[in-house]
Amino acid sequence: MVRAADGAERPARTSVWLEGRAPRGRGVRHGGQPSGLDRERITAATVRLLDAEGLARFSMRRLAAELNVTAMSVYWYVDTKDDLLELALDAAFGELGLPDAESKEDWRDQLRTLAAGYRGLLARHPWVTTLTGDFLNIGPCSTAFTSRVGQVIRDAGMPADGRPGATAAVLQFVYGAGTVESGERDFGFGLELLIAGIEAKVPRD
């Protein structure tokens, strides 16, 4: 059994990103509901509701009311509430602007940009902190962000065997800072310590 985002214990499930579910039709009429409903619109409405009312108050019925459809219409596009929360989680990560992979900007500045962006995301969407701990965070947007952090660390000269640990250290530091009230100065100081630690582990010619 696993504990889902709403606190209830449910049978173990795999991620929506691993179950091979193709996005369902756009604008399909189902059960007499109006056309124009699709996963993207449902996901965007979910993000808005989570921002406005929080994770504890979110429900499929409340979402359906926001969209002016029946709850069964929403289930035509997503199988479960948890699937929808995973989609919303990845949509939030899609807001992050990633430095160009071919950028000539110094890796330290790129890492600062990525860390600040992630911290800002957690501040705008407090529910992301909870869902990141509840679900496999492997949607395309989240994966792209994590990969970009890893690429920046690779560009710093970190050997291959040290990149996963360095990437995890950066992500976990920002995630931890997002769960507590930390001042800008404290966040910046901690990030600079991480950058200095990465530099110290890069082999010198």
mmCIF file of all heavy atoms in Angstrom, residues 6 78 80 93 106 109 142 155 162:
data_model
loop_
_atom_site.group_PDB
_atom_site.id
_atom_site.type_symbol
_atom_site.label_atom_id
_atom_site.label_comp_id
_atom_site.label_asym_id
_atom_site.label_seq_id
_atom_site.Cartn_x
_atom_site.Cartn_y
_atom_site.Cartn_z
ATOM 1 N N ASP A 6 -3.818 12.693 -1.051
ATOM 2 C CA ASP A 6 -4.880 13.109 -0.145
ATOM 3 C C ASP A 6 -4.804 12.429 1.209
ATOM 4 O O ASP A 6 -5.672 12.587 2.050
ATOM 5 C CB ASP A 6 -6.247 12.848 -0.783
ATOM 6 C CG ASP A 6 -6.457 11.378 -1.122
ATOM 7 O OD1 ASP A 6 -5.597 10.552 -0.755
ATOM 8 O OD2 ASP A 6 -7.483 11.054 -1.746
ATOM 9 N N VAL A 78 -8.742 11.646 -17.981
ATOM 10 C CA VAL A 78 -7.777 11.114 -17.011
ATOM 11 C C VAL A 78 -8.447 10.000 -16.228
ATOM 12 O O VAL A 78 -9.644 10.061 -15.957
ATOM 13 C CB VAL A 78 -7.251 12.203 -16.044
ATOM 14 C CG1 VAL A 78 -6.392 13.216 -16.772
ATOM 15 C CG2 VAL A 78 -8.392 12.891 -15.316
ATOM 16 N N THR A 80 -7.588 8.773 -13.058
ATOM 17 C CA THR A 80 -7.679 8.956 -11.616
ATOM 18 C C THR A 80 -7.264 10.368 -11.225
ATOM 19 O O THR A 80 -6.604 11.085 -11.993
ATOM 20 C CB THR A 80 -6.769 7.967 -10.855
ATOM 21 O OG1 THR A 80 -5.393 8.324 -11.102
ATOM 22 C CG2 THR A 80 -7.008 6.518 -11.278
ATOM 23 N N PHE A 93 6.395 22.364 -13.766
ATOM 24 C CA PHE A 93 7.803 22.367 -14.160
ATOM 25 C C PHE A 93 7.994 22.910 -15.573
ATOM 26 O O PHE A 93 9.069 23.410 -15.910
ATOM 27 C CB PHE A 93 8.384 20.955 -14.054
ATOM 28 C CG PHE A 93 8.909 20.631 -12.684
ATOM 29 C CD1 PHE A 93 8.090 20.061 -11.729
ATOM 30 C CD2 PHE A 93 10.226 20.897 -12.344
ATOM 31 C CE1 PHE A 93 8.557 19.770 -10.456
ATOM 32 C CE2 PHE A 93 10.713 20.613 -11.081
ATOM 33 C CZ PHE A 93 9.877 20.050 -10.130
ATOM 34 N N ASP A 106 28.791 31.116 -18.388
ATOM 35 C CA ASP A 106 29.530 30.362 -17.382
ATOM 36 C C ASP A 106 28.594 29.384 -16.664
ATOM 37 O O ASP A 106 27.452 29.737 -16.326
ATOM 38 C CB ASP A 106 30.148 31.340 -16.374
ATOM 39 C CG ASP A 106 31.040 30.633 -15.368
ATOM 40 O OD1 ASP A 106 32.208 30.403 -15.679
ATOM 41 O OD2 ASP A 106 30.525 30.300 -14.278
ATOM 42 N N ASP A 109 26.835 30.587 -13.474
ATOM 43 C CA ASP A 109 25.672 31.458 -13.657
ATOM 44 C C ASP A 109 24.465 30.660 -14.140
ATOM 45 O O ASP A 109 23.326 30.950 -13.744
ATOM 46 C CB ASP A 109 26.003 32.569 -14.657
ATOM 47 C CG ASP A 109 27.008 33.572 -14.097
ATOM 48 O OD1 ASP A 109 27.027 33.753 -12.858
ATOM 49 O OD2 ASP A 109 27.758 34.170 -14.885
ATOM 50 N N SER A 142 9.714 17.946 -16.083
ATOM 51 C CA SER A 142 10.566 17.732 -14.920
ATOM 52 C C SER A 142 11.872 17.066 -15.304
ATOM 53 O O SER A 142 12.955 17.444 -14.837
ATOM 54 C CB SER A 142 9.823 16.874 -13.892
ATOM 55 O OG SER A 142 10.671 16.548 -12.817
ATOM 56 N N ASP A 155 29.243 20.214 -17.742
ATOM 57 C CA ASP A 155 30.031 21.268 -18.372
ATOM 58 C C ASP A 155 31.036 21.889 -17.419
ATOM 59 O O ASP A 155 32.040 22.471 -17.853
ATOM 60 C CB ASP A 155 29.099 22.353 -18.917
ATOM 61 C CG ASP A 155 28.244 21.856 -20.079
ATOM 62 O OD1 ASP A 155 28.576 20.801 -20.653
ATOM 63 O OD2 ASP A 155 27.231 22.520 -20.389
ATOM 64 N N GLY A 162 30.571 11.422 -10.553
ATOM 65 C CA GLY A 162 30.176 12.406 -9.559
ATOM 66 C C GLY A 162 28.958 13.225 -9.942
ATOM 67 O O GLY A 162 28.377 13.924 -9.099
#
